[in-house]
Amino acid sequence: MSMTTYILRRVAWAVVASLIVLTLTFMLLYFTPDTQLAELQFQAAQAGDDPSEIGEAYESYYGYDQPIHVQYVDFMGNMLSLDWGWSETRAQPVTTAIADAIPYSMMYGVPSVIISTVLGIAIGLYSATNQYTRSDYAATFFAFFGLSIPDFWFAIILLVIFGVMLGWVPILFDTSVAVFSLENAQQLILPIIVLTLSSIASLMRYSRAEALEYVEAEFVKTAKAKGVEGRRILTRHIFRPASVPLATILVGDLLGIILVSSYLIEVVYGIPGLGMLSFRAIINQDTPLVMGTVLLPAFLTIIGNLAQDVAYTVLDPRIDYGDS
């Protein structure tokens, strides 16, 4: 099997996974009681109107009186055309609400990914080449600390210390400040620290484990015997082969950490990003907005897994693309 065929198969599986996610979402929406309809019927009953007539008009307007297969086709068409419904709590389309929230998540998410990737891999490589030294023990302790400490607890502690007690950072997130300004950097520094800590710890652990497989390899010993510079050995003979499995871990692992942590971080710091949008939609029982904020991370995860598979094949052409 050629690399092109393998990639096309992975793309096909990504499409199938997306269809499964959309189908499950439709089934959940179909069998879940409509809170907006219940509220309208309750208001109609209080006003002395017939709730059943209100229900029939509501279902006819949104097409809920159609057979399930017709509703399913309409749902899939709306998903493909990005017509994800209307958010009653925000009085705007769901896609518009998501588009407004994404930049705020990227403000701290992108710097965290860059910093954690560079530092996590660098610390892991250094720890692997200095195994059983004080530096290695310190890096290992840092990794376990970053993985073990709850993000929401660490975020609250930092906010209390640097926001309430010292007053170095604002307690409330200000959306009126310019993106590239000192004020915005000041209010984003704590979210970046919290998200970066857990990401660095995870990447450091993976990079250390992968690099240790090559530290005592024969080709590394040969390079040392020939007098090759230590930095060249680290970058060319250790990091290069270790980067293949790291690339497959990097995308999915970082996506998982960032998507999960964004809910906690944005709620603590009041950042109006995707996590906060989803949290408020759940609290307000805004079903279309909840589904939209759940579908987007699901699609990003599918795309991330696809990128992992493609990166693995591109970085290591020796891989067998057969079914085995």
Side-chain angles (χ1 to χ4, degrees):
M1 183 187 300
S2 65
M3 183 175 69
T4 303
T5 304
Y6 175 80
I7 293 176
L8 290 176
R9 287 185 60 180
R10 301 311 300 171
V11 172
W13 276 113
V15 173
V16 172
S18 300
L19 291 176
I20 293 174
V21 170
L22 289 174
T23 302
L24 291 175
T25 302
F26 170 78
M27 298 304 294
L28 287 173
L29 286 174
Y30 185 80
F31 291 105
T32 300
D34 194 329
T35 55
Q36 295 180 8
L37 174 59
E39 183 177 354
L40 289 175
Q41 290 179 326
F42 177 75
Q43 293 176 356
Q46 285 187 323
D49 298 328
D50 187 2
S52 60
E53 294 181 359
I54 299 296
E56 292 175 358
Y58 179 87
E59 292 179 351
S60 176
Y61 179 79
Y62 287 102
Y64 295 156
D65 56 344
Q66 299 293 326
I68 185 172
H69 66 277
V70 176
Q71 295 187 43
Y72 179 75
V73 173
D74 291 340
F75 175 80
M76 286 297 185
N78 292 335
M79 291 295 104
L80 293 176
S81 62
L82 296 182
D83 183 9
W84 290 7
W86 180 267
S87 172
E88 295 292 341
T89 58
R90 295 178 62 91
Q92 62 181 169
V94 170
T95 51
T96 303
I98 293 175
D100 293 340
I102 287 177
Y104 290 103
S105 295
M106 294 181 63
M107 285 183 188
Y108 69 91
V110 172
S112 298
V113 170
I114 296 174
I115 296 173
S116 61
T117 301
V118 174
L119 292 182
I121 294 178
I123 295 174
L125 292 175
Y126 179 82
S127 178
T129 54
N130 295 271
Q131 192 177 16
Y132 303 129
T133 62
R134 290 185 178 181
S135 300
D136 180 32
Y137 290 136
T140 303
F141 172 79
F142 173 77
F144 280 109
F145 176 79
L147 292 172
S148 302
I149 188 172
D151 287 340
F152 73 93
W153 179 84
F154 189 50
I156 294 173
I157 293 299
L158 291 182
L159 185 62
V160 170
I161 295 176
F162 295 101
V164 178
M165 298 176 63
L166 298 178
W168 292 356
V169 297
I171 299 177
L172 299 177
F173 190 86
D174 187 3
T175 58
S176 63
V177 299
V179 176
F180 300 101
S181 63
L182 182 61
E183 291 80 6
N184 196 35
Q186 189 178 17
Q187 64 182 358
L188 289 174
I189 185 66
L190 293 186
I192 291 175
I193 290 175
V194 175
L195 188 58
T196 302
L197 178 65
S198 57
S199 301
I200 285 180
S202 178
L203 287 176
M204 176 265 164
R205 185 184 63 172
Y206 284 127
S207 59
R208 180 182 184 275
E210 295 297 335
L212 283 175
E213 296 184 11
Y214 302 99
V215 169
E216 298 297 331
E218 292 299 326
F219 59 86
V220 174
K221 293 180 180 179
T222 303
K224 291 179 180 179
K226 290 182 178 181
V228 179
E229 185 184 2
R231 181 178 299 178
R232 183 179 179 85
I233 292 176
L234 180 62
T235 56
R236 294 292 299 274
H237 298 278
I238 297 178
F239 174 66
R240 193 170 182 177
S243 63
V244 177
L246 277 177
T248 64
I249 296 170
L250 182 63
V251 178
D253 194 63
L254 282 180
L255 272 177
I257 292 175
I258 292 172
L259 293 177
V260 172
S261 300
S262 66
Y263 281 80
L264 306 174
I265 292 175
E266 292 179 7
V267 170
V268 172
Y269 292 106
I271 302 175
L274 190 62
M276 176 66 80
L277 182 68
S278 180
F279 175 76
R280 289 179 175 172
I282 294 172
I283 296 298
N284 296 324
Q285 296 183 348
D286 192 338
T287 303
L289 190 55
V290 172
M291 289 302 170
T293 55
V294 170
L295 283 174
L296 181 61
F299 291 147
L300 288 177
T301 303
I302 293 172
I303 294 173
N305 290 329
L306 175 63
Q308 286 182 184
D309 296 333
V310 174
Y312 200 85
T313 59
V314 172
L315 289 173
D316 194 346
R318 301 169 300 172
I319 295 174
D320 181 15
Y321 305 111
D323 293 334
S324 58

